[in-house]
Amino acid sequence: MAKIEITLVSKKLFLKCDLSLPDLAEETGIQLHMLSHLINSQTNQNFKNYINLMRIGYFKEKVNDSGWKDLTVEQMVMACGFNSRATAHRAFIRHVGATPSEYLKLYRVQYDHRTVPKKRYNFG
């Protein structure tokens, strides 16, 4: 399983919207049926769910990335490898319990550049 994860992460294959099990088998050198069996037995997920979980993890990591602050939700999910907003929506509902938009509202830090936080001193 380590070889699979290293290949997926180091080459960022999970960000490819058209990634298929045969593509991953070719990249890892693991026979197709063995690769499918490993993913299913080790993660309790099928290939698509396993890849979608990686994409969701990437989305979560990027939520507060300064380079992503001006992107729309659709642009964000596409950059994570989802082939449509609807696919991302279904994956998020299934694995996170919220849509990508709902997740953003909960976890994205909102910066107001017009105000500067006041320093608080504790002299006690």
Side-chain angles (χ1 to χ4, degrees):
M1 207 49 214
K3 182 177 184 177
I4 297 166
E5 289 179 10
I6 289 168
T7 302
L8 283 166
V9 173
S10 67
K11 295 183 178 185
K12 296 189 177 189
L13 295 176
F14 65 95
L15 298 179
K16 292 176 55 179
C17 67
D18 60 347
L19 180 66
S20 67
L21 193 57
D23 293 338
L24 185 56
E26 186 176 323
E27 288 285 340
T28 60
I30 300 171
Q31 291 182 354
L32 185 63
H33 70 279
M34 179 56 76
L35 179 61
S36 179
H37 174 73
L38 281 170
I39 291 171
N40 293 342
S41 65
Q42 297 294 311
T43 67
N44 294 321
Q45 302 286 337
N46 64 30
F47 173 73
K48 287 189 180 204
N49 285 332
Y50 175 64
I51 297 301
N52 284 341
L53 282 168
M54 294 186 85
R55 291 171 175 160
I56 289 168
Y58 186 75
F59 182 95
K60 289 178 175 182
E61 287 177 15
K62 293 293 206 173
V63 162
N64 289 306
D65 187 297
S66 62
W68 284 43
K69 68 181 176 75
D70 295 324
L71 296 180
T72 65
V73 173
E74 185 167 1
Q75 290 170 324
M76 292 174 78
V77 298
M78 299 297 270
C80 292
F82 291 102
N83 60 6
S84 73
R85 187 173 178 161
T87 302
H89 184 93
R90 283 190 300 273
F92 265 77
I93 291 292
R94 179 183 184 129
H95 298 292
V96 179
T99 67
S101 297
E102 291 167 342
Y103 185 88
L104 281 175
K105 287 177 187 170
L106 290 171
Y107 295 102
R108 180 173 254 180
V109 174
Q110 298 296 323
Y111 296 102
D112 186 350
H113 299 289
R114 295 172 290 160
T115 60
V116 178
K118 294 180 182 178
K119 290 184 180 179
R120 294 185 181 233
Y121 298 97
N122 184 1
F123 295 108

